[in-house]
DNA sequence: TATAAAATATGATATATATCATATAAATGA
DNA sequence: TCATTTATATGATATATATCATATTTTATA
């Protein structure tokens, strides 16, 4: 069992408020797990009795819409926590979490977290702020979905992906989503997404080669949003 | 200055966790205000140094989209609190609040609320649960906007309005939204909204008379969603 | 009450997007 | 390495929705 004290990732989440003693307790009760690309961490409707801390990798949070399509609500990456909302609401999770790449994930049981909640004010404030940030983002995404065109949403999403996950040495987006996944982030049909990418390519806004997407004209992409 | 102790509305919000002593303190520092229909309570980007408690009436929370249209993110009614997210995040509000009917609203300064936060665990837990509920709703609305047709969203919204705000003696929806507002809740053009209402009317799903909307075939409306 | 302004309604048309079909390319696995 | 599956791409077409125009009704106001 590795020590949480030495885990750098903790510095990026609400857990940074924990003191040495609390971190020792945490290390004792947490369980670590490797999650392969494509593997499910938890599924909509499940009871998850605790939270997950992402040590490495990226996953998607999806929600099944009544028409049977999955919609990607959020991407979550190294340093972030999963399952906080569900734990606080004492409800099943409302989203599924699926690994987009191989991941290292730690699970912290609810009892432990609730203890920190009671005793460490800074920790609970951090959690609250995170959830408030999520709410603000969700509201703004809701408005995007309702009011922007698919083209605008695609441009915005490409910019977001580069901003958040960076680029490879060749300049292409570091995070690898299938066209299908990209479509279910922006809320459109896969073919429409592919077609628009193709249009963007022809316009010189992006470059497509062998599945890799490279943003070529960022000012122009920004202007579209 | 009326006493918060005797205000029934408080029982419906996070404030129900406050004890007598805290309620007396609250009554001393709060300010009350009448808000006329159409009046703005606060505007996107503003710094609101506290939270509002709605004693009576309903307001809409809107967000301006880049195309210049307002989108209604949420309706908030008697018993609910406004501005919690912004206060916790220590950020300007991300939404505007506009009265849909005449309202009675109390303002509670941030300092007071933060005091309750520190000392009353049940209160902060209540606030957290409310925000978690908002986040869940927002995620689900986001998916609705992205994946459902305008027709489905209209049906769903009509059912929601009746569920949440009830109906008049004549059976029509109690809450009075303009077509324009209804359109900006479901994320469509005003004309499209009017047209679909007209279609629903012809199909016997609803009845339109003199601005009043009456749901006539709820099972069928539910089936559409 | 008369008049202006705003809200609702509906038609005609344009546009964005989804769907269905099929081709090609890439990835996977025996 | 070849065969099979899966992902990407593109055309043709259908459909949903937006936009523009105009009429009618309702509401506000002088």
């Amino acid at each position: 069992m590795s020590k949480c004290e030495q885990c750098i990732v903790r510095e990026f989440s609400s857990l940074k408020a924990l003191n040495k003693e609390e971190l020792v307790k945490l290390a004792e009760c947490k369980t670590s797990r490797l999650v392969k690309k494509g593997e499910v961490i938890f599924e909509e409707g499940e009871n998850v009795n605790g939270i997950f801390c992402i040590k490495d990798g990226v996953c998607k949070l999806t929600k099944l819409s009544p028409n049977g399509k999955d919609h990607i609500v959020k991407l979550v990456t190294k340093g972030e926590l999963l399952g906080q909302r569900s734990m606080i609401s004492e409800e099943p999770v409302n989203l599924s979490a699926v690994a987009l790449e191989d991941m290292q994930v730690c699970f912290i049981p609810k009892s432990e977290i609730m203890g920190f909640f009671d005793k460490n004010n800074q920790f609970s404030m951090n959690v609250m702020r995170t959830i408030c940030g999520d709410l603000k983002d969700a509201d703004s995404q809701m408005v995007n979905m309702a009011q922007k065109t698919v083209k605008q949403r695609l441009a915005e999403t490409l910019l977001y992906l580069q901003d958040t996950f960076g680029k490879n040495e060749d300049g292409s987006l570091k995070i690898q989503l299938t066209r299908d996944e990209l479509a279910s982030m922006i809320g459109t049909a896969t073919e429409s997404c592919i077609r628009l990418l193709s249009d963007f390519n022809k316009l010189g806004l992006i470059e497509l080669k062998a599945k890799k997407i490279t943003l070529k004209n960022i000012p122009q992409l920004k202007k579209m949003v």
PDB file of all heavy atoms in Angstrom, chain C residues 1-4 11 13 16 18 20-21 23 26 28 30:
ATOM      1  P    DT C   1     -65.068  52.392 -22.528  1.00  0.00           P
ATOM      2  OP1  DT C   1     -66.470  52.223 -22.884  1.00  0.00           O
ATOM      3  OP2  DT C   1     -64.193  51.247 -22.360  1.00  0.00           O
ATOM      4  O5'  DT C   1     -64.384  53.357 -23.587  1.00  0.00           O
ATOM      5  C5'  DT C   1     -64.963  54.586 -23.960  1.00  0.00           C
ATOM      6  C4'  DT C   1     -63.957  55.233 -24.864  1.00  0.00           C
ATOM      7  O4'  DT C   1     -62.694  55.444 -24.155  1.00  0.00           O
ATOM      8  C3'  DT C   1     -63.609  54.395 -26.103  1.00  0.00           C
ATOM      9  O3'  DT C   1     -63.487  55.299 -27.196  1.00  0.00           O
ATOM     10  C2'  DT C   1     -62.260  53.758 -25.745  1.00  0.00           C
ATOM     11  C1'  DT C   1     -61.634  54.863 -24.884  1.00  0.00           C
ATOM     12  N1   DT C   1     -60.622  54.396 -23.865  1.00  0.00           N
ATOM     13  C2   DT C   1     -59.427  55.062 -23.776  1.00  0.00           C
ATOM     14  O2   DT C   1     -59.133  56.005 -24.475  1.00  0.00           O
ATOM     15  N3   DT C   1     -58.582  54.580 -22.810  1.00  0.00           N
ATOM     16  C4   DT C   1     -58.813  53.530 -21.936  1.00  0.00           C
ATOM     17  O4   DT C   1     -57.978  53.207 -21.107  1.00  0.00           O
ATOM     18  C5   DT C   1     -60.080  52.868 -22.086  1.00  0.00           C
ATOM     19  C7   DT C   1     -60.435  51.709 -21.214  1.00  0.00           C
ATOM     20  C6   DT C   1     -60.922  53.316 -23.028  1.00  0.00           C
ATOM     21  P    DA C   2     -63.382  54.755 -28.711  1.00  0.00           P
ATOM     22  OP1  DA C   2     -64.325  55.518 -29.559  1.00  0.00           O
ATOM     23  OP2  DA C   2     -63.412  53.281 -28.707  1.00  0.00           O
ATOM     24  O5'  DA C   2     -61.911  55.260 -29.060  1.00  0.00           O
ATOM     25  C5'  DA C   2     -61.589  56.647 -28.878  1.00  0.00           C
ATOM     26  C4'  DA C   2     -60.092  56.810 -29.077  1.00  0.00           C
ATOM     27  O4'  DA C   2     -59.380  56.175 -27.979  1.00  0.00           O
ATOM     28  C3'  DA C   2     -59.557  56.195 -30.361  1.00  0.00           C
ATOM     29  O3'  DA C   2     -58.621  57.121 -30.907  1.00  0.00           O
ATOM     30  C2'  DA C   2     -58.894  54.884 -29.908  1.00  0.00           C
ATOM     31  C1'  DA C   2     -58.442  55.231 -28.491  1.00  0.00           C
ATOM     32  N9   DA C   2     -58.428  54.121 -27.536  1.00  0.00           N
ATOM     33  C8   DA C   2     -59.358  53.131 -27.398  1.00  0.00           C
ATOM     34  N7   DA C   2     -59.098  52.286 -26.423  1.00  0.00           N
ATOM     35  C5   DA C   2     -57.912  52.754 -25.888  1.00  0.00           C
ATOM     36  C6   DA C   2     -57.098  52.300 -24.826  1.00  0.00           C
ATOM     37  N6   DA C   2     -57.389  51.242 -24.078  1.00  0.00           N
ATOM     38  N1   DA C   2     -55.975  53.012 -24.563  1.00  0.00           N
ATOM     39  C2   DA C   2     -55.694  54.084 -25.301  1.00  0.00           C
ATOM     40  N3   DA C   2     -56.378  54.611 -26.329  1.00  0.00           N
ATOM     41  C4   DA C   2     -57.482  53.890 -26.567  1.00  0.00           C
ATOM     42  P    DT C   3     -57.886  56.789 -32.315  1.00  0.00           P
ATOM     43  OP1  DT C   3     -57.653  58.084 -32.993  1.00  0.00           O
ATOM     44  OP2  DT C   3     -58.578  55.676 -32.991  1.00  0.00           O
ATOM     45  O5'  DT C   3     -56.470  56.271 -31.789  1.00  0.00           O
ATOM     46  C5'  DT C   3     -55.703  57.140 -30.954  1.00  0.00           C
ATOM     47  C4'  DT C   3     -54.394  56.439 -30.634  1.00  0.00           C
ATOM     48  O4'  DT C   3     -54.591  55.438 -29.605  1.00  0.00           O
ATOM     49  C3'  DT C   3     -53.760  55.730 -31.825  1.00  0.00           C
ATOM     50  O3'  DT C   3     -52.416  56.146 -31.931  1.00  0.00           O
ATOM     51  C2'  DT C   3     -53.903  54.238 -31.496  1.00  0.00           C
ATOM     52  C1'  DT C   3     -53.893  54.264 -29.962  1.00  0.00           C
ATOM     53  N1   DT C   3     -54.580  53.126 -29.285  1.00  0.00           N
ATOM     54  C2   DT C   3     -54.050  52.631 -28.119  1.00  0.00           C
ATOM     55  O2   DT C   3     -53.050  53.076 -27.614  1.00  0.00           O
ATOM     56  N3   DT C   3     -54.758  51.594 -27.563  1.00  0.00           N
ATOM     57  C4   DT C   3     -55.906  51.005 -28.053  1.00  0.00           C
ATOM     58  O4   DT C   3     -56.449  50.084 -27.465  1.00  0.00           O
ATOM     59  C5   DT C   3     -56.412  51.560 -29.290  1.00  0.00           C
ATOM     60  C7   DT C   3     -57.647  50.991 -29.917  1.00  0.00           C
ATOM     61  C6   DT C   3     -55.731  52.575 -29.840  1.00  0.00           C
ATOM     62  P    DA C   4     -51.426  55.563 -33.070  1.00  0.00           P
ATOM     63  OP1  DA C   4     -50.769  56.718 -33.749  1.00  0.00           O
ATOM     64  OP2  DA C   4     -52.137  54.544 -33.863  1.00  0.00           O
ATOM     65  O5'  DA C   4     -50.359  54.875 -32.135  1.00  0.00           O
ATOM     66  C5'  DA C   4     -49.903  55.576 -30.975  1.00  0.00           C
ATOM     67  C4'  DA C   4     -49.179  54.598 -30.084  1.00  0.00           C
ATOM     68  O4'  DA C   4     -50.114  53.631 -29.554  1.00  0.00           O
ATOM     69  C3'  DA C   4     -48.089  53.790 -30.800  1.00  0.00           C
ATOM     70  O3'  DA C   4     -46.928  53.815 -29.976  1.00  0.00           O
ATOM     71  C2'  DA C   4     -48.679  52.394 -30.950  1.00  0.00           C
ATOM     72  C1'  DA C   4     -49.609  52.316 -29.734  1.00  0.00           C
ATOM     73  N9   DA C   4     -50.765  51.442 -29.916  1.00  0.00           N
ATOM     74  C8   DA C   4     -51.674  51.434 -30.943  1.00  0.00           C
ATOM     75  N7   DA C   4     -52.629  50.547 -30.802  1.00  0.00           N
ATOM     76  C5   DA C   4     -52.333  49.930 -29.597  1.00  0.00           C
ATOM     77  C6   DA C   4     -52.966  48.891 -28.876  1.00  0.00           C
ATOM     78  N6   DA C   4     -54.077  48.283 -29.284  1.00  0.00           N
ATOM     79  N1   DA C   4     -52.407  48.511 -27.718  1.00  0.00           N
ATOM     80  C2   DA C   4     -51.296  49.134 -27.300  1.00  0.00           C
ATOM     81  N3   DA C   4     -50.610  50.116 -27.882  1.00  0.00           N
ATOM     82  C4   DA C   4     -51.189  50.475 -29.038  1.00  0.00           C
ATOM     83  P    DG C  11     -50.995  28.229 -41.598  1.00  0.00           P
ATOM     84  OP1  DG C  11     -52.324  27.832 -42.108  1.00  0.00           O
ATOM     85  OP2  DG C  11     -50.124  27.251 -40.918  1.00  0.00           O
ATOM     86  O5'  DG C  11     -50.169  28.881 -42.807  1.00  0.00           O
ATOM     87  C5'  DG C  11     -50.676  30.048 -43.440  1.00  0.00           C
ATOM     88  C4'  DG C  11     -49.563  30.650 -44.294  1.00  0.00           C
ATOM     89  O4'  DG C  11     -48.571  31.256 -43.427  1.00  0.00           O
ATOM     90  C3'  DG C  11     -48.825  29.628 -45.156  1.00  0.00           C
ATOM     91  O3'  DG C  11     -48.757  30.142 -46.484  1.00  0.00           O
ATOM     92  C2'  DG C  11     -47.450  29.521 -44.527  1.00  0.00           C
ATOM     93  C1'  DG C  11     -47.272  30.888 -43.879  1.00  0.00           C
ATOM     94  N9   DG C  11     -46.380  30.905 -42.724  1.00  0.00           N
ATOM     95  C8   DG C  11     -46.525  30.190 -41.559  1.00  0.00           C
ATOM     96  N7   DG C  11     -45.572  30.429 -40.691  1.00  0.00           N
ATOM     97  C5   DG C  11     -44.760  31.349 -41.324  1.00  0.00           C
ATOM     98  C6   DG C  11     -43.566  31.981 -40.869  1.00  0.00           C
ATOM     99  O6   DG C  11     -42.987  31.853 -39.802  1.00  0.00           O
ATOM    100  N1   DG C  11     -43.042  32.846 -41.838  1.00  0.00           N
ATOM    101  C2   DG C  11     -43.603  33.083 -43.063  1.00  0.00           C
ATOM    102  N2   DG C  11     -42.962  33.935 -43.852  1.00  0.00           N
ATOM    103  N3   DG C  11     -44.713  32.501 -43.491  1.00  0.00           N
ATOM    104  C4   DG C  11     -45.237  31.653 -42.573  1.00  0.00           C
ATOM    105  P    DT C  13     -42.506  30.278 -50.948  1.00  0.00           P
ATOM    106  OP1  DT C  13     -42.225  31.184 -52.082  1.00  0.00           O
ATOM    107  OP2  DT C  13     -43.057  28.904 -51.133  1.00  0.00           O
ATOM    108  O5'  DT C  13     -41.143  30.136 -50.133  1.00  0.00           O
ATOM    109  C5'  DT C  13     -40.476  31.340 -49.727  1.00  0.00           C
ATOM    110  C4'  DT C  13     -39.301  30.958 -48.869  1.00  0.00           C
ATOM    111  O4'  DT C  13     -39.735  30.347 -47.641  1.00  0.00           O
ATOM    112  C3'  DT C  13     -38.359  29.935 -49.525  1.00  0.00           C
ATOM    113  O3'  DT C  13     -37.156  30.627 -49.791  1.00  0.00           O
ATOM    114  C2'  DT C  13     -38.205  28.826 -48.479  1.00  0.00           C
ATOM    115  C1'  DT C  13     -38.694  29.506 -47.212  1.00  0.00           C
ATOM    116  N1   DT C  13     -39.229  28.614 -46.153  1.00  0.00           N
ATOM    117  C2   DT C  13     -38.644  28.665 -44.916  1.00  0.00           C
ATOM    118  O2   DT C  13     -37.705  29.398 -44.664  1.00  0.00           O
ATOM    119  N3   DT C  13     -39.191  27.824 -43.977  1.00  0.00           N
ATOM    120  C4   DT C  13     -40.242  26.953 -44.156  1.00  0.00           C
ATOM    121  O4   DT C  13     -40.637  26.256 -43.240  1.00  0.00           O
ATOM    122  C5   DT C  13     -40.822  26.945 -45.481  1.00  0.00           C
ATOM    123  C7   DT C  13     -41.971  26.034 -45.782  1.00  0.00           C
ATOM    124  C6   DT C  13     -40.294  27.762 -46.403  1.00  0.00           C
ATOM    125  P    DA C  16     -26.549  26.843 -42.347  1.00  0.00           P
ATOM    126  OP1  DA C  16     -25.599  27.830 -41.775  1.00  0.00           O
ATOM    127  OP2  DA C  16     -26.207  26.073 -43.558  1.00  0.00           O
ATOM    128  O5'  DA C  16     -26.930  25.812 -41.195  1.00  0.00           O
ATOM    129  C5'  DA C  16     -27.813  26.223 -40.171  1.00  0.00           C
ATOM    130  C4'  DA C  16     -28.182  25.028 -39.337  1.00  0.00           C
ATOM    131  O4'  DA C  16     -29.157  24.219 -40.036  1.00  0.00           O
ATOM    132  C3'  DA C  16     -27.030  24.105 -39.007  1.00  0.00           C
ATOM    133  O3'  DA C  16     -27.191  23.751 -37.641  1.00  0.00           O
ATOM    134  C2'  DA C  16     -27.200  22.914 -39.972  1.00  0.00           C
ATOM    135  C1'  DA C  16     -28.699  22.895 -40.190  1.00  0.00           C
ATOM    136  N9   DA C  16     -29.162  22.489 -41.522  1.00  0.00           N
ATOM    137  C8   DA C  16     -28.686  22.896 -42.735  1.00  0.00           C
ATOM    138  N7   DA C  16     -29.333  22.387 -43.765  1.00  0.00           N
ATOM    139  C5   DA C  16     -30.310  21.596 -43.178  1.00  0.00           C
ATOM    140  C6   DA C  16     -31.336  20.796 -43.721  1.00  0.00           C
ATOM    141  N6   DA C  16     -31.551  20.648 -45.031  1.00  0.00           N
ATOM    142  N1   DA C  16     -32.132  20.131 -42.866  1.00  0.00           N
ATOM    143  C2   DA C  16     -31.928  20.280 -41.547  1.00  0.00           C
ATOM    144  N3   DA C  16     -31.010  21.012 -40.919  1.00  0.00           N
ATOM    145  C4   DA C  16     -30.222  21.653 -41.800  1.00  0.00           C
ATOM    146  P    DA C  18     -27.346  16.262 -35.607  1.00  0.00           P
ATOM    147  OP1  DA C  18     -27.588  15.961 -34.188  1.00  0.00           O
ATOM    148  OP2  DA C  18     -26.004  16.075 -36.189  1.00  0.00           O
ATOM    149  O5'  DA C  18     -28.411  15.421 -36.462  1.00  0.00           O
ATOM    150  C5'  DA C  18     -29.786  15.539 -36.132  1.00  0.00           C
ATOM    151  C4'  DA C  18     -30.579  14.422 -36.792  1.00  0.00           C
ATOM    152  O4'  DA C  18     -30.575  14.595 -38.233  1.00  0.00           O
ATOM    153  C3'  DA C  18     -30.059  13.017 -36.550  1.00  0.00           C
ATOM    154  O3'  DA C  18     -31.203  12.175 -36.381  1.00  0.00           O
ATOM    155  C2'  DA C  18     -29.260  12.688 -37.816  1.00  0.00           C
ATOM    156  C1'  DA C  18     -29.982  13.491 -38.888  1.00  0.00           C
ATOM    157  N9   DA C  18     -29.110  14.064 -39.919  1.00  0.00           N
ATOM    158  C8   DA C  18     -27.972  14.801 -39.722  1.00  0.00           C
ATOM    159  N7   DA C  18     -27.407  15.220 -40.832  1.00  0.00           N
ATOM    160  C5   DA C  18     -28.233  14.726 -41.834  1.00  0.00           C
ATOM    161  C6   DA C  18     -28.177  14.818 -43.241  1.00  0.00           C
ATOM    162  N6   DA C  18     -27.222  15.487 -43.904  1.00  0.00           N
ATOM    163  N1   DA C  18     -29.153  14.210 -43.951  1.00  0.00           N
ATOM    164  C2   DA C  18     -30.112  13.556 -43.277  1.00  0.00           C
ATOM    165  N3   DA C  18     -30.270  13.399 -41.953  1.00  0.00           N
ATOM    166  C4   DA C  18     -29.284  14.013 -41.289  1.00  0.00           C
ATOM    167  P    DC C  20     -32.515   5.712 -40.227  1.00  0.00           P
ATOM    168  OP1  DC C  20     -33.914   5.251 -40.144  1.00  0.00           O
ATOM    169  OP2  DC C  20     -31.518   5.318 -39.218  1.00  0.00           O
ATOM    170  O5'  DC C  20     -31.938   5.302 -41.665  1.00  0.00           O
ATOM    171  C5'  DC C  20     -32.627   5.735 -42.836  1.00  0.00           C
ATOM    172  C4'  DC C  20     -31.741   5.520 -44.047  1.00  0.00           C
ATOM    173  O4'  DC C  20     -30.671   6.494 -44.044  1.00  0.00           O
ATOM    174  C3'  DC C  20     -31.068   4.148 -44.098  1.00  0.00           C
ATOM    175  O3'  DC C  20     -31.361   3.578 -45.369  1.00  0.00           O
ATOM    176  C2'  DC C  20     -29.582   4.447 -43.912  1.00  0.00           C
ATOM    177  C1'  DC C  20     -29.500   5.847 -44.508  1.00  0.00           C
ATOM    178  N1   DC C  20     -28.332   6.659 -44.072  1.00  0.00           N
ATOM    179  C2   DC C  20     -27.660   7.436 -45.031  1.00  0.00           C
ATOM    180  O2   DC C  20     -28.058   7.421 -46.195  1.00  0.00           O
ATOM    181  N3   DC C  20     -26.592   8.164 -44.647  1.00  0.00           N
ATOM    182  C4   DC C  20     -26.193   8.148 -43.368  1.00  0.00           C
ATOM    183  N4   DC C  20     -25.138   8.893 -43.037  1.00  0.00           N
ATOM    184  C5   DC C  20     -26.862   7.371 -42.378  1.00  0.00           C
ATOM    185  C6   DC C  20     -27.926   6.641 -42.773  1.00  0.00           C
ATOM    186  P    DA C  21     -30.884   2.070 -45.733  1.00  0.00           P
ATOM    187  OP1  DA C  21     -31.974   1.466 -46.531  1.00  0.00           O
ATOM    188  OP2  DA C  21     -30.358   1.406 -44.517  1.00  0.00           O
ATOM    189  O5'  DA C  21     -29.652   2.368 -46.699  1.00  0.00           O
ATOM    190  C5'  DA C  21     -29.826   3.262 -47.796  1.00  0.00           C
ATOM    191  C4'  DA C  21     -28.492   3.458 -48.470  1.00  0.00           C
ATOM    192  O4'  DA C  21     -27.696   4.397 -47.704  1.00  0.00           O
ATOM    193  C3'  DA C  21     -27.655   2.171 -48.588  1.00  0.00           C
ATOM    194  O3'  DA C  21     -27.323   1.971 -49.958  1.00  0.00           O
ATOM    195  C2'  DA C  21     -26.431   2.428 -47.724  1.00  0.00           C
ATOM    196  C1'  DA C  21     -26.351   3.958 -47.722  1.00  0.00           C
ATOM    197  N9   DA C  21     -25.680   4.505 -46.553  1.00  0.00           N
ATOM    198  C8   DA C  21     -25.912   4.212 -45.237  1.00  0.00           C
ATOM    199  N7   DA C  21     -25.138   4.876 -44.394  1.00  0.00           N
ATOM    200  C5   DA C  21     -24.347   5.653 -45.226  1.00  0.00           C
ATOM    201  C6   DA C  21     -23.325   6.578 -44.961  1.00  0.00           C
ATOM    202  N6   DA C  21     -22.906   6.889 -43.728  1.00  0.00           N
ATOM    203  N1   DA C  21     -22.732   7.176 -46.013  1.00  0.00           N
ATOM    204  C2   DA C  21     -23.150   6.868 -47.248  1.00  0.00           C
ATOM    205  N3   DA C  21     -24.098   6.021 -47.624  1.00  0.00           N
ATOM    206  C4   DA C  21     -24.665   5.442 -46.558  1.00  0.00           C
ATOM    207  P    DA C  23     -20.308   0.635 -52.486  1.00  0.00           P
ATOM    208  OP1  DA C  23     -20.455   0.536 -53.948  1.00  0.00           O
ATOM    209  OP2  DA C  23     -20.360  -0.572 -51.637  1.00  0.00           O
ATOM    210  O5'  DA C  23     -18.951   1.407 -52.176  1.00  0.00           O
ATOM    211  C5'  DA C  23     -18.842   2.785 -52.547  1.00  0.00           C
ATOM    212  C4'  DA C  23     -17.681   3.387 -51.791  1.00  0.00           C
ATOM    213  O4'  DA C  23     -18.029   3.521 -50.393  1.00  0.00           O
ATOM    214  C3'  DA C  23     -16.406   2.545 -51.843  1.00  0.00           C
ATOM    215  O3'  DA C  23     -15.345   3.397 -52.243  1.00  0.00           O
ATOM    216  C2'  DA C  23     -16.218   2.044 -50.410  1.00  0.00           C
ATOM    217  C1'  DA C  23     -16.923   3.128 -49.609  1.00  0.00           C
ATOM    218  N9   DA C  23     -17.460   2.714 -48.314  1.00  0.00           N
ATOM    219  C8   DA C  23     -18.410   1.765 -48.049  1.00  0.00           C
ATOM    220  N7   DA C  23     -18.714   1.630 -46.780  1.00  0.00           N
ATOM    221  C5   DA C  23     -17.908   2.561 -46.153  1.00  0.00           C
ATOM    222  C6   DA C  23     -17.732   2.926 -44.808  1.00  0.00           C
ATOM    223  N6   DA C  23     -18.418   2.355 -43.809  1.00  0.00           N
ATOM    224  N1   DA C  23     -16.836   3.896 -44.528  1.00  0.00           N
ATOM    225  C2   DA C  23     -16.161   4.466 -45.541  1.00  0.00           C
ATOM    226  N3   DA C  23     -16.232   4.223 -46.843  1.00  0.00           N
ATOM    227  C4   DA C  23     -17.124   3.246 -47.083  1.00  0.00           C
ATOM    228  P    DA C  26      -5.248   4.670 -43.268  1.00  0.00           P
ATOM    229  OP1  DA C  26      -4.651   5.960 -42.875  1.00  0.00           O
ATOM    230  OP2  DA C  26      -4.522   3.727 -44.153  1.00  0.00           O
ATOM    231  O5'  DA C  26      -5.653   3.897 -41.946  1.00  0.00           O
ATOM    232  C5'  DA C  26      -6.487   4.564 -40.993  1.00  0.00           C
ATOM    233  C4'  DA C  26      -6.844   3.586 -39.915  1.00  0.00           C
ATOM    234  O4'  DA C  26      -7.664   2.543 -40.480  1.00  0.00           O
ATOM    235  C3'  DA C  26      -5.651   2.895 -39.267  1.00  0.00           C
ATOM    236  O3'  DA C  26      -5.729   3.216 -37.890  1.00  0.00           O
ATOM    237  C2'  DA C  26      -5.847   1.408 -39.561  1.00  0.00           C
ATOM    238  C1'  DA C  26      -7.335   1.315 -39.854  1.00  0.00           C
ATOM    239  N9   DA C  26      -7.767   0.286 -40.798  1.00  0.00           N
ATOM    240  C8   DA C  26      -7.384   0.135 -42.104  1.00  0.00           C
ATOM    241  N7   DA C  26      -7.975  -0.868 -42.716  1.00  0.00           N
ATOM    242  C5   DA C  26      -8.805  -1.396 -41.755  1.00  0.00           C
ATOM    243  C6   DA C  26      -9.711  -2.483 -41.775  1.00  0.00           C
ATOM    244  N6   DA C  26      -9.928  -3.249 -42.842  1.00  0.00           N
ATOM    245  N1   DA C  26     -10.377  -2.756 -40.640  1.00  0.00           N
ATOM    246  C2   DA C  26     -10.172  -1.986 -39.560  1.00  0.00           C
ATOM    247  N3   DA C  26      -9.363  -0.944 -39.420  1.00  0.00           N
ATOM    248  C4   DA C  26      -8.693  -0.704 -40.567  1.00  0.00           C
ATOM    249  P    DT C  28      -6.469  -1.740 -31.931  1.00  0.00           P
ATOM    250  OP1  DT C  28      -7.109  -1.193 -30.711  1.00  0.00           O
ATOM    251  OP2  DT C  28      -4.993  -1.710 -32.093  1.00  0.00           O
ATOM    252  O5'  DT C  28      -6.969  -3.236 -32.080  1.00  0.00           O
ATOM    253  C5'  DT C  28      -8.373  -3.486 -32.227  1.00  0.00           C
ATOM    254  C4'  DT C  28      -8.560  -4.921 -32.644  1.00  0.00           C
ATOM    255  O4'  DT C  28      -8.166  -5.084 -34.026  1.00  0.00           O
ATOM    256  C3'  DT C  28      -7.725  -5.923 -31.838  1.00  0.00           C
ATOM    257  O3'  DT C  28      -8.622  -6.790 -31.172  1.00  0.00           O
ATOM    258  C2'  DT C  28      -6.850  -6.633 -32.877  1.00  0.00           C
ATOM    259  C1'  DT C  28      -7.620  -6.371 -34.172  1.00  0.00           C
ATOM    260  N1   DT C  28      -6.837  -6.337 -35.440  1.00  0.00           N
ATOM    261  C2   DT C  28      -7.260  -7.118 -36.489  1.00  0.00           C
ATOM    262  O2   DT C  28      -8.230  -7.856 -36.419  1.00  0.00           O
ATOM    263  N3   DT C  28      -6.495  -7.010 -37.627  1.00  0.00           N
ATOM    264  C4   DT C  28      -5.370  -6.211 -37.813  1.00  0.00           C
ATOM    265  O4   DT C  28      -4.776  -6.213 -38.879  1.00  0.00           O
ATOM    266  C5   DT C  28      -4.992  -5.412 -36.680  1.00  0.00           C
ATOM    267  C7   DT C  28      -3.796  -4.510 -36.777  1.00  0.00           C
ATOM    268  C6   DT C  28      -5.723  -5.514 -35.550  1.00  0.00           C
ATOM    269  P    DA C  30      -8.836 -14.111 -31.275  1.00  0.00           P
ATOM    270  OP1  DA C  30     -10.216 -14.144 -30.763  1.00  0.00           O
ATOM    271  OP2  DA C  30      -7.676 -14.005 -30.339  1.00  0.00           O
ATOM    272  O5'  DA C  30      -8.617 -15.386 -32.216  1.00  0.00           O
ATOM    273  C5'  DA C  30      -9.577 -15.653 -33.242  1.00  0.00           C
ATOM    274  C4'  DA C  30      -8.848 -16.181 -34.467  1.00  0.00           C
ATOM    275  O4'  DA C  30      -7.896 -15.185 -34.901  1.00  0.00           O
ATOM    276  C3'  DA C  30      -8.058 -17.462 -34.203  1.00  0.00           C
ATOM    277  O3'  DA C  30      -8.531 -18.502 -35.053  1.00  0.00           O
ATOM    278  C2'  DA C  30      -6.593 -17.108 -34.536  1.00  0.00           C
ATOM    279  C1'  DA C  30      -6.721 -15.835 -35.354  1.00  0.00           C
ATOM    280  N9   DA C  30      -5.631 -14.865 -35.161  1.00  0.00           N
ATOM    281  C8   DA C  30      -5.258 -14.264 -33.990  1.00  0.00           C
ATOM    282  N7   DA C  30      -4.261 -13.422 -34.134  1.00  0.00           N
ATOM    283  C5   DA C  30      -3.956 -13.470 -35.489  1.00  0.00           C
ATOM    284  C6   DA C  30      -2.995 -12.803 -36.273  1.00  0.00           C
ATOM    285  N6   DA C  30      -2.123 -11.925 -35.793  1.00  0.00           N
ATOM    286  N1   DA C  30      -2.971 -13.092 -37.589  1.00  0.00           N
ATOM    287  C2   DA C  30      -3.841 -13.990 -38.083  1.00  0.00           C
ATOM    288  N3   DA C  30      -4.795 -14.661 -37.453  1.00  0.00           N
ATOM    289  C4   DA C  30      -4.798 -14.355 -36.134  1.00  0.00           C
TER     290       DA C  30
END
